[in-house]
Amino acid sequence: MNSTKDSIRNIIKRSLRNLKTNVTLNEIEATREFKEVRAEIEDFLFSQVEKIMVTELVEQAVLLTRKADTNPQIQFLIERELNNIKPSRFLIDIVVNLLARAEQIAGQDAVDTLIAGTKYTIKNSQYIRDRVNNLFPQLNTTTAKQISEELENARGGFLTIEETIQYVLEKQREMIKNRSQIIAENEVAQVAGATQNEVYRKSGVTVLKWVTSRDERVCPICQPLDNKVININGTWVGGKGIIGKYPPLHISCRCFVVPEERNGSQVWTGQ
């Protein structure tokens, strides 16, 4: 079975080389694995964040509203109080571990591009934990603002506390699935881009080339960058003046970079 699988891999690799494309087999496999990690983060955020954070935020916000119903600054007070609610270490650790898997996939993909058969050793870098630690306060702030606005809309409806909680929760559920998807996609892409850039830079790559998906969905931001090359320490400047050190430059970006020039043969493997 393994020999058959290896034969198929070699055939596909030769075919792709013959077509002279920038797509490689390991990139195809990495894309599939990235989608799996994104789906896990999305499902986790949708279920756990709604269950642990949003429900708690809504219940506390409704009680605050009832206690200070005549206070003209209630919306400000609610947002301030809700922003003091911190996510548990459990929530943070789960997302860190999922993003660490994305780092492993991206690191291995970059190493394979430089030298096949060498294993990337995950660092579980501070970069990931810093991103997650910053993610939840942002998520909390956005959610708190939305909840306070929805409560303001519900105040004139003469609802009971229980009815108000259900009203706001239903409104939140309409948005949290979309937000979970966007957050998962963006966080995985950011970790992947940072990891691959680090592998290339520490492996002596000096010049990178930007590659778009080259189809009708390529956006005005990335289209001007296709096939462009820059020094690895430089900054990509896309359409509309959007800049970045590596892809993605925006939500749902499907671009990637490939090494164009390199000094030496040593490959950094994350150790």
Side-chain angles (χ1 to χ4, degrees):
M1 180 64 71
N2 287 339
S3 60
T4 302
K5 182 177 179 181
D6 291 340
S7 299
I8 293 172
R9 287 172 64 92
N10 290 331
I11 290 170
I12 296 174
K13 281 183 176 179
R14 284 198 300 273
S15 299
L16 290 171
R17 279 199 296 269
N18 290 338
L19 289 172
K20 296 181 180 181
T21 70
N22 285 302
V23 180
T24 63
L25 184 62
N26 60 289
E27 284 162 0
I28 294 171
E29 291 176 338
T31 298
R32 175 183 58 78
E33 291 175 311
F34 279 138
K35 287 181 179 178
E36 291 174 356
V37 175
R38 281 202 303 264
E40 286 190 49
I41 295 176
E42 180 183 336
D43 290 344
F44 173 77
L45 288 175
F46 180 62
S47 62
Q48 296 300 319
V49 172
E50 179 185 48
K51 177 182 175 182
I52 297 172
M53 288 181 69
V54 175
T55 301
E56 182 179 0
L57 287 170
V58 170
E59 289 176 349
Q60 290 205 27
V62 170
L63 291 174
L64 281 167
T65 302
R66 295 300 179 179
K67 287 179 180 178
D69 195 47
T70 59
N71 191 323
Q73 291 187 307
I74 184 61
Q75 190 166 338
F76 166 77
L77 294 173
I78 289 172
E79 289 183 34
R80 187 187 67 184
E81 290 298 317
L82 297 186
N83 280 318
N84 290 329
I85 299 176
K86 306 300 181 185
S88 69
R89 180 53 54 184
F90 164 76
L91 284 174
I92 292 175
D93 287 346
I94 290 292
V95 179
V96 165
N97 289 333
L98 287 169
L99 287 177
R101 282 180 52 198
E103 180 197 329
Q104 175 66 54
I105 296 165
Q108 189 61 59
D109 182 57
V111 168
D112 286 344
T113 300
L114 299 173
I115 181 170
T118 303
K119 183 176 176 57
Y120 175 82
T121 303
I122 189 169
K123 297 189 308 165
N124 196 9
S125 65
Q126 186 61 37
Y127 169 80
I128 291 179
R129 188 161 290 277
D130 288 344
R131 283 200 69 87
V132 176
N133 283 332
N134 290 329
L135 168 65
F136 280 103
Q138 293 171 11
L139 178 63
N140 211 40
T141 298
T142 303
T143 303
K145 182 173 178 60
Q146 290 172 345
I147 288 172
S148 66
E149 291 173 352
E150 287 154 6
L151 281 171
E152 191 67 21
N153 294 332
R155 287 177 70 191
F158 303 103
L159 302 177
T160 66
I161 290 179
E162 292 73 19
E163 289 171 338
T164 305
I165 289 173
Q166 287 307 308
Y167 167 81
V168 179
L169 280 176
E170 286 174 11
K171 291 292 185 181
Q172 277 294 301
R173 289 187 185 111
E174 293 173 9
M175 292 180 283
I176 196 169
K177 184 63 177 176
N178 288 335
R179 278 202 297 155
S180 297
Q181 181 179 4
I182 291 170
I183 290 169
E185 185 175 302
N186 185 62
E187 291 306 305
V188 168
Q190 290 290 343
V191 167
T195 301
Q196 291 182 326
N197 192 72
E198 185 176 27
V199 170
Y200 291 147
R201 184 171 52 81
K202 291 185 176 180
S203 298
V205 173
T206 56
V207 178
L208 292 171
K209 179 166 70 175
W210 188 282
V211 183
T212 69
S213 296
R214 297 172 180 169
D215 58 24
E216 69 281 356
R217 292 171 54 201
V218 176
C219 70
I221 295 173
C222 297
Q223 184 64 61
L225 291 175
D226 192 39
N227 265 337
K228 292 288 180 66
V229 297
I230 67 168
N231 182 281
I232 195 167
N233 295 317
T235 299
W236 298 98
V237 182
K240 302 182 179 180
I242 304 300
I243 63 173
K245 290 293 186 181
Y246 42 78
L249 286 187
H250 58 85
I251 298 293
S252 300
C253 182
R254 298 174 297 141
C255 299
F256 59 95
V257 293
V258 292
E260 191 73 2
E261 295 180 16
R262 183 178 170 211
N263 289 329
S265 59
Q266 188 68 29
V267 176
W268 185 75
T269 60
Q271 296 176 340

